[in-house]
Amino acid sequence: MEKLRKIFLFYYEGFRGMTVGKTLWTIILIKLFIMFAVLRIFFFQPALLGTDEEKADKVRENLITTKP
């Protein structure tokens, strides 16, 4: 348990003492938000839409048909 505390304090002190690093981490977090939230909305639409029966039919169709 003491080892985990030392690791935590090491990173805590390191991040607390940063000046330029805080700005870089802010940029990284904004980019991650854009990648996972915004791009998902526009490019990764859900494949299964409709009622439960329509979803089941689509899954069944994809399982039965083989693509070369």
Short mmCIF file of all heavy atoms in Angstrom, two decimals:
data_model
loop_
_atom_site.label_atom_id
_atom_site.label_comp_id
_atom_site.label_asym_id
_atom_site.label_seq_id
_atom_site.Cartn_x
_atom_site.Cartn_y
_atom_site.Cartn_z
N MET A 1 0.83 -1.19 0.00
CA MET A 1 0.00 0.00 0.00
C MET A 1 0.87 1.25 0.00
O MET A 1 0.53 2.24 -0.62
CB MET A 1 -0.93 -0.05 1.22
CG MET A 1 -2.01 0.96 1.14
SD MET A 1 -3.02 0.65 -0.30
CE MET A 1 -4.49 1.40 0.13
N GLU A 2 1.98 1.19 0.70
CA GLU A 2 2.89 2.33 0.77
C GLU A 2 3.48 2.63 -0.62
O GLU A 2 3.71 3.78 -0.97
CB GLU A 2 4.00 2.06 1.78
CG GLU A 2 4.99 3.18 1.95
CD GLU A 2 4.38 4.46 2.50
OE1 GLU A 2 3.36 4.39 3.21
OE2 GLU A 2 4.92 5.54 2.17
N LYS A 3 3.70 1.56 -1.38
CA LYS A 3 4.27 1.71 -2.71
C LYS A 3 3.31 2.48 -3.63
O LYS A 3 3.73 3.35 -4.38
CB LYS A 3 4.57 0.33 -3.30
CG LYS A 3 5.45 0.35 -4.48
CD LYS A 3 5.81 -1.08 -4.88
CE LYS A 3 7.15 -1.08 -5.53
NZ LYS A 3 7.59 -2.40 -5.89
N LEU A 4 2.02 2.16 -3.53
CA LEU A 4 1.02 2.88 -4.32
C LEU A 4 0.96 4.35 -3.93
O LEU A 4 0.79 5.22 -4.79
CB LEU A 4 -0.35 2.23 -4.16
CG LEU A 4 -0.53 0.86 -4.80
CD1 LEU A 4 -1.90 0.30 -4.47
CD2 LEU A 4 -0.34 0.96 -6.30
N ARG A 5 1.08 4.61 -2.65
CA ARG A 5 1.06 6.00 -2.17
C ARG A 5 2.25 6.77 -2.72
O ARG A 5 2.11 7.92 -3.15
CB ARG A 5 1.08 6.02 -0.64
CG ARG A 5 0.94 7.40 -0.06
CD ARG A 5 0.82 7.32 1.47
NE ARG A 5 0.66 8.62 2.05
CZ ARG A 5 1.65 9.44 2.37
NH1 ARG A 5 2.89 9.06 2.18
NH2 ARG A 5 1.41 10.61 2.89
N LYS A 6 3.43 6.14 -2.75
CA LYS A 6 4.62 6.80 -3.28
C LYS A 6 4.47 7.09 -4.77
O LYS A 6 4.85 8.15 -5.25
CB LYS A 6 5.85 5.94 -3.05
CG LYS A 6 6.35 5.96 -1.63
CD LYS A 6 7.62 5.14 -1.49
CE LYS A 6 8.14 5.16 -0.08
NZ LYS A 6 9.39 4.38 0.04
N ILE A 7 3.89 6.14 -5.49
CA ILE A 7 3.66 6.33 -6.93
C ILE A 7 2.69 7.49 -7.16
O ILE A 7 2.91 8.36 -8.00
CB ILE A 7 3.16 5.03 -7.58
CG1 ILE A 7 4.26 3.98 -7.56
CG2 ILE A 7 2.68 5.28 -9.00
CD1 ILE A 7 3.79 2.60 -7.96
N PHE A 8 1.60 7.50 -6.39
CA PHE A 8 0.62 8.58 -6.52
C PHE A 8 1.25 9.93 -6.22
O PHE A 8 1.06 10.89 -6.97
CB PHE A 8 -0.57 8.33 -5.58
CG PHE A 8 -1.53 9.48 -5.55
CD1 PHE A 8 -2.41 9.68 -6.58
CD2 PHE A 8 -1.54 10.36 -4.47
CE1 PHE A 8 -3.30 10.75 -6.56
CE2 PHE A 8 -2.40 11.42 -4.43
CZ PHE A 8 -3.29 11.62 -5.49
N LEU A 9 2.00 10.02 -5.13
CA LEU A 9 2.63 11.30 -4.78
C LEU A 9 3.65 11.74 -5.82
O LEU A 9 3.79 12.93 -6.10
CB LEU A 9 3.28 11.19 -3.40
CG LEU A 9 2.31 11.12 -2.22
CD1 LEU A 9 3.08 10.91 -0.92
CD2 LEU A 9 1.44 12.35 -2.15
N PHE A 10 4.36 10.79 -6.41
CA PHE A 10 5.32 11.11 -7.46
C PHE A 10 4.63 11.82 -8.63
O PHE A 10 5.06 12.89 -9.08
CB PHE A 10 5.99 9.82 -7.94
CG PHE A 10 6.88 10.00 -9.13
CD1 PHE A 10 8.13 10.56 -8.99
CD2 PHE A 10 6.45 9.59 -10.37
CE1 PHE A 10 8.96 10.72 -10.09
CE2 PHE A 10 7.26 9.75 -11.47
CZ PHE A 10 8.52 10.32 -11.34
N TYR A 11 3.53 11.24 -9.11
CA TYR A 11 2.81 11.84 -10.23
C TYR A 11 2.09 13.11 -9.82
O TYR A 11 2.03 14.09 -10.57
CB TYR A 11 1.83 10.84 -10.85
CG TYR A 11 2.54 9.83 -11.70
CD1 TYR A 11 2.73 8.53 -11.26
CD2 TYR A 11 3.03 10.18 -12.95
CE1 TYR A 11 3.39 7.61 -12.04
CE2 TYR A 11 3.68 9.26 -13.74
CZ TYR A 11 3.86 7.98 -13.28
OH TYR A 11 4.52 7.07 -14.06
N TYR A 12 1.54 13.14 -8.61
CA TYR A 12 0.83 14.32 -8.13
C TYR A 12 1.76 15.53 -8.06
O TYR A 12 1.44 16.61 -8.55
CB TYR A 12 0.22 14.02 -6.75
CG TYR A 12 -0.50 15.20 -6.16
CD1 TYR A 12 -1.74 15.58 -6.62
CD2 TYR A 12 0.08 15.94 -5.12
CE1 TYR A 12 -2.40 16.66 -6.08
CE2 TYR A 12 -0.57 17.03 -4.57
CZ TYR A 12 -1.81 17.39 -5.06
OH TYR A 12 -2.46 18.47 -4.52
N GLU A 13 2.92 15.34 -7.47
CA GLU A 13 3.89 16.43 -7.37
C GLU A 13 4.38 16.86 -8.76
O GLU A 13 4.59 18.03 -9.03
CB GLU A 13 5.07 16.02 -6.50
CG GLU A 13 4.72 15.81 -5.05
CD GLU A 13 4.27 17.10 -4.37
OE1 GLU A 13 4.80 18.18 -4.71
OE2 GLU A 13 3.39 17.00 -3.50
N GLY A 14 4.57 15.89 -9.63
CA GLY A 14 5.03 16.20 -10.98
C GLY A 14 4.02 17.03 -11.75
O GLY A 14 4.37 18.03 -12.39
N PHE A 15 2.76 16.65 -11.71
CA PHE A 15 1.73 17.40 -12.43
C PHE A 15 1.47 18.75 -11.78
O PHE A 15 1.17 19.73 -12.47
CB PHE A 15 0.43 16.60 -12.50
CG PHE A 15 0.45 15.51 -13.53
CD1 PHE A 15 0.37 14.19 -13.15
CD2 PHE A 15 0.57 15.81 -14.88
CE1 PHE A 15 0.40 13.18 -14.08
CE2 PHE A 15 0.60 14.80 -15.83
CZ PHE A 15 0.51 13.48 -15.43
N ARG A 16 1.60 18.82 -10.48
CA ARG A 16 1.34 20.07 -9.79
C ARG A 16 2.40 21.12 -10.12
O ARG A 16 2.10 22.31 -10.22
CB ARG A 16 1.30 19.85 -8.27
CG ARG A 16 0.68 21.01 -7.53
CD ARG A 16 0.60 20.69 -6.09
NE ARG A 16 1.97 20.65 -5.54
CZ ARG A 16 2.27 20.76 -4.27
NH1 ARG A 16 1.31 20.86 -3.40
NH2 ARG A 16 3.51 20.75 -3.87
N GLY A 17 3.62 20.67 -10.35
CA GLY A 17 4.71 21.59 -10.63
C GLY A 17 4.83 21.99 -12.09
O GLY A 17 5.72 22.76 -12.45
N MET A 18 3.98 21.47 -12.94
CA MET A 18 4.08 21.77 -14.37
C MET A 18 3.61 23.19 -14.68
O MET A 18 2.71 23.70 -14.04
CB MET A 18 3.21 20.81 -15.18
CG MET A 18 3.82 19.49 -15.42
SD MET A 18 2.98 18.69 -16.79
CE MET A 18 1.93 17.59 -15.92
N THR A 19 4.23 23.78 -15.70
CA THR A 19 3.74 25.07 -16.20
C THR A 19 3.25 24.89 -17.64
O THR A 19 2.07 25.06 -17.91
CB THR A 19 4.85 26.13 -16.14
OG1 THR A 19 5.99 25.66 -16.84
CG2 THR A 19 5.22 26.44 -14.71
N VAL A 20 4.13 24.52 -18.53
CA VAL A 20 3.75 24.29 -19.93
C VAL A 20 2.96 23.00 -20.04
O VAL A 20 2.07 22.88 -20.88
CB VAL A 20 5.01 24.25 -20.83
CG1 VAL A 20 4.64 23.94 -22.26
CG2 VAL A 20 5.76 25.56 -20.74
N GLY A 21 3.25 22.05 -19.22
CA GLY A 21 2.60 20.75 -19.27
C GLY A 21 1.09 20.82 -19.08
O GLY A 21 0.35 20.05 -19.68
N LYS A 22 0.62 21.73 -18.26
CA LYS A 22 -0.82 21.86 -18.05
C LYS A 22 -1.51 22.27 -19.34
O LYS A 22 -2.58 21.75 -19.67
CB LYS A 22 -1.10 22.87 -16.95
CG LYS A 22 -0.72 22.37 -15.58
CD LYS A 22 -1.01 23.39 -14.50
CE LYS A 22 -0.53 22.87 -13.16
NZ LYS A 22 -0.74 23.82 -12.08
N THR A 23 -0.89 23.18 -20.08
CA THR A 23 -1.46 23.59 -21.36
C THR A 23 -1.47 22.42 -22.33
O THR A 23 -2.45 22.21 -23.05
CB THR A 23 -0.65 24.76 -21.95
OG1 THR A 23 -0.58 25.80 -20.99
CG2 THR A 23 -1.29 25.27 -23.22
N LEU A 24 -0.39 21.65 -22.37
CA LEU A 24 -0.32 20.50 -23.27
C LEU A 24 -1.37 19.46 -22.91
O LEU A 24 -2.00 18.88 -23.80
CB LEU A 24 1.08 19.90 -23.23
CG LEU A 24 2.20 20.78 -23.78
CD1 LEU A 24 3.54 20.09 -23.59
CD2 LEU A 24 1.96 21.11 -25.24
N TRP A 25 -1.56 19.19 -21.62
CA TRP A 25 -2.57 18.22 -21.22
C TRP A 25 -3.98 18.71 -21.58
O TRP A 25 -4.85 17.93 -21.94
CB TRP A 25 -2.49 17.92 -19.73
CG TRP A 25 -1.49 16.85 -19.44
CD1 TRP A 25 -0.27 16.99 -18.87
CD2 TRP A 25 -1.62 15.46 -19.74
NE1 TRP A 25 0.37 15.78 -18.80
CE2 TRP A 25 -0.43 14.82 -19.33
CE3 TRP A 25 -2.62 14.69 -20.34
CZ2 TRP A 25 -0.22 13.46 -19.48
CZ3 TRP A 25 -2.40 13.34 -20.50
CH2 TRP A 25 -1.23 12.74 -20.07
N THR A 26 -4.21 20.02 -21.49
CA THR A 26 -5.50 20.58 -21.88
C THR A 26 -5.73 20.35 -23.37
O THR A 26 -6.82 19.93 -23.77
CB THR A 26 -5.55 22.09 -21.56
OG1 THR A 26 -5.29 22.28 -20.17
CG2 THR A 26 -6.90 22.67 -21.92
N ILE A 27 -4.72 20.58 -24.18
CA ILE A 27 -4.83 20.35 -25.62
C ILE A 27 -5.09 18.87 -25.90
O ILE A 27 -5.94 18.53 -26.74
CB ILE A 27 -3.57 20.85 -26.35
CG1 ILE A 27 -3.49 22.37 -26.25
CG2 ILE A 27 -3.53 20.39 -27.79
CD1 ILE A 27 -2.18 22.95 -26.72
N ILE A 28 -4.38 18.00 -25.21
CA ILE A 28 -4.57 16.55 -25.41
C ILE A 28 -6.00 16.15 -25.06
O ILE A 28 -6.64 15.39 -25.79
CB ILE A 28 -3.55 15.76 -24.57
CG1 ILE A 28 -2.15 15.94 -25.14
CG2 ILE A 28 -3.93 14.29 -24.48
CD1 ILE A 28 -1.05 15.42 -24.26
N LEU A 29 -6.52 16.64 -23.96
CA LEU A 29 -7.89 16.28 -23.55
C LEU A 29 -8.92 16.81 -24.53
O LEU A 29 -9.91 16.13 -24.83
CB LEU A 29 -8.16 16.78 -22.13
CG LEU A 29 -7.37 16.07 -21.04
CD1 LEU A 29 -7.63 16.73 -19.69
CD2 LEU A 29 -7.70 14.60 -21.00
N ILE A 30 -8.72 18.01 -25.05
CA ILE A 30 -9.64 18.56 -26.06
C ILE A 30 -9.61 17.70 -27.32
O ILE A 30 -10.65 17.39 -27.91
CB ILE A 30 -9.29 20.03 -26.36
CG1 ILE A 30 -9.64 20.91 -25.15
CG2 ILE A 30 -10.03 20.52 -27.60
CD1 ILE A 30 -9.12 22.32 -25.24
N LYS A 31 -8.42 17.30 -27.76
CA LYS A 31 -8.30 16.46 -28.95
C LYS A 31 -8.97 15.11 -28.74
O LYS A 31 -9.64 14.59 -29.64
CB LYS A 31 -6.83 16.27 -29.32
CG LYS A 31 -6.19 17.52 -29.88
CD LYS A 31 -4.72 17.35 -30.06
CE LYS A 31 -4.40 16.93 -31.46
NZ LYS A 31 -2.96 16.86 -31.71
N LEU A 32 -8.81 14.53 -27.56
CA LEU A 32 -9.47 13.25 -27.28
C LEU A 32 -10.98 13.40 -27.29
O LEU A 32 -11.70 12.53 -27.80
CB LEU A 32 -9.00 12.70 -25.94
CG LEU A 32 -7.61 12.09 -25.92
CD1 LEU A 32 -7.20 11.76 -24.49
CD2 LEU A 32 -7.55 10.86 -26.80
N PHE A 33 -11.47 14.49 -26.74
CA PHE A 33 -12.91 14.75 -26.78
C PHE A 33 -13.40 14.84 -28.20
O PHE A 33 -14.42 14.25 -28.56
CB PHE A 33 -13.25 16.04 -26.01
CG PHE A 33 -14.69 16.42 -26.14
CD1 PHE A 33 -15.66 15.74 -25.42
CD2 PHE A 33 -15.08 17.43 -27.00
CE1 PHE A 33 -17.00 16.08 -25.54
CE2 PHE A 33 -16.41 17.77 -27.13
CZ PHE A 33 -17.37 17.10 -26.41
N ILE A 34 -12.69 15.57 -29.04
CA ILE A 34 -13.09 15.70 -30.44
C ILE A 34 -13.07 14.33 -31.12
O ILE A 34 -14.01 13.97 -31.84
CB ILE A 34 -12.18 16.70 -31.18
CG1 ILE A 34 -12.45 18.11 -30.66
CG2 ILE A 34 -12.37 16.62 -32.68
CD1 ILE A 34 -11.46 19.14 -31.14
N MET A 35 -12.02 13.56 -30.89
CA MET A 35 -11.91 12.26 -31.55
C MET A 35 -13.04 11.31 -31.15
O MET A 35 -13.63 10.65 -32.00
CB MET A 35 -10.57 11.61 -31.23
CG MET A 35 -9.43 12.21 -31.99
SD MET A 35 -7.79 11.60 -31.58
CE MET A 35 -8.01 10.07 -30.83
N PHE A 36 -13.34 11.23 -29.88
CA PHE A 36 -14.28 10.23 -29.42
C PHE A 36 -15.73 10.70 -29.39
O PHE A 36 -16.63 9.89 -29.55
CB PHE A 36 -13.89 9.70 -28.04
CG PHE A 36 -12.66 8.85 -28.08
CD1 PHE A 36 -11.47 9.30 -27.56
CD2 PHE A 36 -12.68 7.61 -28.68
CE1 PHE A 36 -10.33 8.53 -27.61
CE2 PHE A 36 -11.55 6.82 -28.74
CZ PHE A 36 -10.37 7.28 -28.19
N ALA A 37 -15.97 11.96 -29.20
CA ALA A 37 -17.35 12.43 -29.10
C ALA A 37 -17.85 12.98 -30.42
O ALA A 37 -18.89 12.54 -30.94
CB ALA A 37 -17.47 13.49 -28.02
N VAL A 38 -17.15 13.92 -30.98
CA VAL A 38 -17.63 14.61 -32.18
C VAL A 38 -17.54 13.70 -33.41
O VAL A 38 -18.51 13.57 -34.16
CB VAL A 38 -16.84 15.92 -32.40
CG1 VAL A 38 -17.25 16.59 -33.69
CG2 VAL A 38 -17.06 16.87 -31.22
N LEU A 39 -16.40 13.05 -33.63
CA LEU A 39 -16.25 12.21 -34.80
C LEU A 39 -17.18 11.01 -34.77
O LEU A 39 -17.65 10.54 -35.81
CB LEU A 39 -14.80 11.75 -34.95
CG LEU A 39 -13.80 12.85 -35.30
CD1 LEU A 39 -12.40 12.27 -35.38
CD2 LEU A 39 -14.17 13.54 -36.59
N ARG A 40 -17.48 10.51 -33.59
CA ARG A 40 -18.40 9.37 -33.46
C ARG A 40 -19.78 9.75 -33.96
O ARG A 40 -20.46 8.94 -34.60
CB ARG A 40 -18.47 8.91 -32.01
CG ARG A 40 -19.36 7.71 -31.82
CD ARG A 40 -19.36 7.26 -30.37
NE ARG A 40 -20.10 6.04 -30.21
CZ ARG A 40 -21.39 5.99 -29.98
NH1 ARG A 40 -22.09 7.10 -29.85
NH2 ARG A 40 -22.01 4.84 -29.85
N ILE A 41 -20.20 10.95 -33.72
CA ILE A 41 -21.53 11.40 -34.14
C ILE A 41 -21.63 11.41 -35.66
O ILE A 41 -22.65 11.00 -36.23
CB ILE A 41 -21.83 12.80 -33.57
CG1 ILE A 41 -21.96 12.73 -32.05
CG2 ILE A 41 -23.09 13.38 -34.18
CD1 ILE A 41 -22.00 14.08 -31.37
N PHE A 42 -20.58 11.87 -36.34
CA PHE A 42 -20.65 12.04 -37.78
C PHE A 42 -20.25 10.80 -38.58
O PHE A 42 -20.76 10.56 -39.67
CB PHE A 42 -19.79 13.22 -38.21
CG PHE A 42 -20.30 14.53 -37.70
CD1 PHE A 42 -19.58 15.23 -36.75
CD2 PHE A 42 -21.49 15.05 -38.14
CE1 PHE A 42 -20.04 16.44 -36.26
CE2 PHE A 42 -21.97 16.25 -37.65
CZ PHE A 42 -21.24 16.95 -36.71
N PHE A 43 -19.31 10.01 -38.11
CA PHE A 43 -18.77 8.92 -38.91
C PHE A 43 -19.16 7.53 -38.45
O PHE A 43 -19.12 6.60 -39.24
CB PHE A 43 -17.24 9.01 -38.95
CG PHE A 43 -16.76 10.25 -39.64
CD1 PHE A 43 -16.17 11.27 -38.92
CD2 PHE A 43 -16.90 10.39 -41.01
CE1 PHE A 43 -15.73 12.40 -39.55
CE2 PHE A 43 -16.46 11.53 -41.65
CZ PHE A 43 -15.88 12.54 -40.92
N PHE A 44 -19.52 7.35 -37.22
CA PHE A 44 -19.79 6.03 -36.70
C PHE A 44 -21.25 5.93 -36.26
O PHE A 44 -21.56 5.87 -35.08
CB PHE A 44 -18.86 5.69 -35.54
CG PHE A 44 -17.41 5.79 -35.92
CD1 PHE A 44 -16.63 6.81 -35.42
CD2 PHE A 44 -16.85 4.87 -36.78
CE1 PHE A 44 -15.29 6.91 -35.78
CE2 PHE A 44 -15.53 4.97 -37.14
CZ PHE A 44 -14.75 5.99 -36.65
N GLN A 45 -22.14 5.90 -37.24
CA GLN A 45 -23.56 5.79 -36.96
C GLN A 45 -23.88 4.36 -36.54
O GLN A 45 -23.25 3.42 -37.01
CB GLN A 45 -24.37 6.16 -38.20
CG GLN A 45 -24.16 7.58 -38.67
CD GLN A 45 -24.64 8.60 -37.66
OE1 GLN A 45 -25.63 8.37 -36.97
NE2 GLN A 45 -23.95 9.71 -37.54
N PRO A 46 -24.86 4.18 -35.68
CA PRO A 46 -25.22 2.83 -35.26
C PRO A 46 -25.74 2.01 -36.44
O PRO A 46 -26.51 2.50 -37.26
CB PRO A 46 -26.31 3.04 -34.22
CG PRO A 46 -26.64 4.47 -34.21
CD PRO A 46 -25.63 5.21 -35.02
N ALA A 47 -25.28 0.77 -36.54
CA ALA A 47 -25.66 -0.09 -37.66
C ALA A 47 -27.06 -0.67 -37.49
O ALA A 47 -27.73 -0.97 -38.46
CB ALA A 47 -24.65 -1.21 -37.81
N LEU A 48 -27.48 -0.83 -36.26
CA LEU A 48 -28.77 -1.44 -36.00
C LEU A 48 -29.78 -0.39 -35.57
O LEU A 48 -29.74 0.13 -34.46
CB LEU A 48 -28.65 -2.52 -34.93
CG LEU A 48 -27.74 -3.69 -35.26
CD1 LEU A 48 -27.61 -4.61 -34.06
CD2 LEU A 48 -28.26 -4.45 -36.46
N LEU A 49 -30.69 -0.08 -36.48
CA LEU A 49 -31.75 0.87 -36.17
C LEU A 49 -33.09 0.18 -36.36
O LEU A 49 -33.23 -0.74 -37.16
CB LEU A 49 -31.67 2.10 -37.09
CG LEU A 49 -30.40 2.94 -36.97
CD1 LEU A 49 -30.40 4.03 -38.05
CD2 LEU A 49 -30.31 3.58 -35.61
N GLY A 50 -34.09 0.61 -35.66
CA GLY A 50 -35.43 0.06 -35.81
C GLY A 50 -35.87 -0.72 -34.59
O GLY A 50 -35.29 -0.61 -33.50
N THR A 51 -36.90 -1.53 -34.82
CA THR A 51 -37.46 -2.31 -33.72
C THR A 51 -36.57 -3.51 -33.42
O THR A 51 -35.65 -3.82 -34.18
CB THR A 51 -38.88 -2.79 -34.08
OG1 THR A 51 -38.77 -3.68 -35.20
CG2 THR A 51 -39.80 -1.63 -34.43
N ASP A 52 -36.90 -4.21 -32.36
CA ASP A 52 -36.13 -5.40 -31.99
C ASP A 52 -36.20 -6.47 -33.08
O ASP A 52 -35.23 -7.15 -33.36
CB ASP A 52 -36.62 -5.97 -30.66
CG ASP A 52 -36.22 -5.11 -29.48
OD1 ASP A 52 -35.29 -4.30 -29.63
OD2 ASP A 52 -36.82 -5.27 -28.40
N GLU A 53 -37.35 -6.59 -33.70
CA GLU A 53 -37.52 -7.59 -34.75
C GLU A 53 -36.66 -7.25 -35.98
O GLU A 53 -36.02 -8.12 -36.56
CB GLU A 53 -38.99 -7.69 -35.15
CG GLU A 53 -39.26 -8.82 -36.13
CD GLU A 53 -40.75 -8.97 -36.38
OE1 GLU A 53 -41.53 -8.84 -35.42
OE2 GLU A 53 -41.11 -9.23 -37.54
N GLU A 54 -36.61 -5.97 -36.35
CA GLU A 54 -35.78 -5.55 -37.48
C GLU A 54 -34.30 -5.76 -37.18
O GLU A 54 -33.52 -6.17 -38.03
CB GLU A 54 -36.04 -4.08 -37.82
CG GLU A 54 -37.43 -3.83 -38.40
CD GLU A 54 -37.76 -2.35 -38.50
OE1 GLU A 54 -37.05 -1.53 -37.86
OE2 GLU A 54 -38.72 -2.01 -39.20
N LYS A 55 -33.91 -5.49 -35.94
CA LYS A 55 -32.51 -5.70 -35.54
C LYS A 55 -32.16 -7.18 -35.61
O LYS A 55 -31.10 -7.57 -36.11
CB LYS A 55 -32.29 -5.18 -34.12
CG LYS A 55 -32.35 -3.68 -34.00
CD LYS A 55 -32.18 -3.26 -32.55
CE LYS A 55 -32.36 -1.78 -32.38
NZ LYS A 55 -32.25 -1.36 -30.98
N ALA A 56 -33.06 -8.03 -35.11
CA ALA A 56 -32.83 -9.47 -35.13
C ALA A 56 -32.72 -9.97 -36.57
O ALA A 56 -31.86 -10.80 -36.88
CB ALA A 56 -33.93 -10.20 -34.38
N ASP A 57 -33.58 -9.47 -37.46
CA ASP A 57 -33.52 -9.87 -38.87
C ASP A 57 -32.20 -9.47 -39.50
O ASP A 57 -31.61 -10.25 -40.26
CB ASP A 57 -34.69 -9.27 -39.65
CG ASP A 57 -36.02 -9.90 -39.30
OD1 ASP A 57 -36.02 -11.05 -38.79
OD2 ASP A 57 -37.06 -9.25 -39.53
N LYS A 58 -31.73 -8.30 -39.19
CA LYS A 58 -30.46 -7.83 -39.77
C LYS A 58 -29.29 -8.68 -39.27
O LYS A 58 -28.42 -9.06 -40.06
CB LYS A 58 -30.23 -6.37 -39.42
CG LYS A 58 -28.97 -5.80 -40.00
CD LYS A 58 -29.07 -4.34 -40.23
CE LYS A 58 -27.80 -3.86 -40.87
NZ LYS A 58 -28.02 -3.24 -42.13
N VAL A 59 -29.27 -8.99 -37.98
CA VAL A 59 -28.20 -9.83 -37.43
C VAL A 59 -28.27 -11.23 -38.04
O VAL A 59 -27.25 -11.79 -38.46
CB VAL A 59 -28.30 -9.90 -35.89
CG1 VAL A 59 -27.37 -10.96 -35.33
CG2 VAL A 59 -28.00 -8.54 -35.28
N ARG A 60 -29.49 -11.79 -38.14
CA ARG A 60 -29.66 -13.12 -38.73
C ARG A 60 -29.18 -13.12 -40.18
O ARG A 60 -28.48 -14.04 -40.62
CB ARG A 60 -31.13 -13.52 -38.65
CG ARG A 60 -31.40 -14.96 -38.96
CD ARG A 60 -32.88 -15.35 -38.76
NE ARG A 60 -33.36 -15.06 -37.42
CZ ARG A 60 -34.27 -14.11 -37.11
NH1 ARG A 60 -34.78 -13.35 -38.05
NH2 ARG A 60 -34.65 -13.92 -35.87
N GLU A 61 -29.54 -12.11 -40.92
CA GLU A 61 -29.13 -12.01 -42.33
C GLU A 61 -27.60 -11.95 -42.45
O GLU A 61 -27.01 -12.61 -43.30
CB GLU A 61 -29.75 -10.76 -42.96
CG GLU A 61 -29.38 -10.53 -44.40
CD GLU A 61 -29.96 -9.23 -44.91
OE1 GLU A 61 -31.12 -8.91 -44.55
OE2 GLU A 61 -29.26 -8.53 -45.67
N ASN A 62 -26.95 -11.17 -41.59
CA ASN A 62 -25.49 -11.06 -41.65
C ASN A 62 -24.80 -12.34 -41.21
O ASN A 62 -23.70 -12.64 -41.69
CB ASN A 62 -25.01 -9.89 -40.80
CG ASN A 62 -25.28 -8.56 -41.46
OD1 ASN A 62 -25.33 -8.46 -42.67
ND2 ASN A 62 -25.48 -7.54 -40.65
N LEU A 63 -25.39 -13.10 -40.31
CA LEU A 63 -24.79 -14.34 -39.87
C LEU A 63 -24.92 -15.44 -40.93
O LEU A 63 -24.04 -16.28 -41.08
CB LEU A 63 -25.43 -14.82 -38.56
CG LEU A 63 -25.04 -14.05 -37.30
CD1 LEU A 63 -25.86 -14.53 -36.13
CD2 LEU A 63 -23.58 -14.19 -37.02
N ILE A 64 -26.03 -15.43 -41.65
CA ILE A 64 -26.28 -16.49 -42.63
C ILE A 64 -25.49 -16.25 -43.92
O ILE A 64 -24.91 -17.17 -44.46
CB ILE A 64 -27.79 -16.61 -42.92
CG1 ILE A 64 -28.51 -17.11 -41.66
CG2 ILE A 64 -28.07 -17.54 -44.08
CD1 ILE A 64 -30.01 -17.08 -41.76
N THR A 65 -25.50 -15.03 -44.42
CA THR A 65 -24.83 -14.76 -45.68
C THR A 65 -23.34 -14.62 -45.45
O THR A 65 -22.89 -14.01 -44.50
CB THR A 65 -25.35 -13.45 -46.33
OG1 THR A 65 -25.15 -12.37 -45.43
CG2 THR A 65 -26.81 -13.56 -46.67
N THR A 66 -22.56 -15.24 -46.34
CA THR A 66 -21.12 -15.15 -46.26
C THR A 66 -20.63 -14.24 -47.37
O THR A 66 -21.10 -14.31 -48.50
CB THR A 66 -20.46 -16.52 -46.40
OG1 THR A 66 -20.87 -17.11 -47.63
CG2 THR A 66 -20.85 -17.43 -45.25
N LYS A 67 -19.69 -13.41 -47.05
CA LYS A 67 -19.12 -12.50 -48.04
C LYS A 67 -17.76 -13.01 -48.47
O LYS A 67 -16.97 -13.42 -47.63
CB LYS A 67 -19.00 -11.10 -47.45
CG LYS A 67 -20.36 -10.52 -47.08
CD LYS A 67 -20.24 -9.16 -46.50
CE LYS A 67 -21.61 -8.67 -46.10
NZ LYS A 67 -21.57 -7.39 -45.44
N PRO A 68 -17.49 -13.03 -49.77
CA PRO A 68 -16.19 -13.55 -50.24
C PRO A 68 -15.02 -12.69 -49.87
O PRO A 68 -15.05 -11.59 -49.56
CB PRO A 68 -16.36 -13.61 -51.75
CG PRO A 68 -17.55 -12.80 -52.10
CD PRO A 68 -18.34 -12.60 -50.84
#
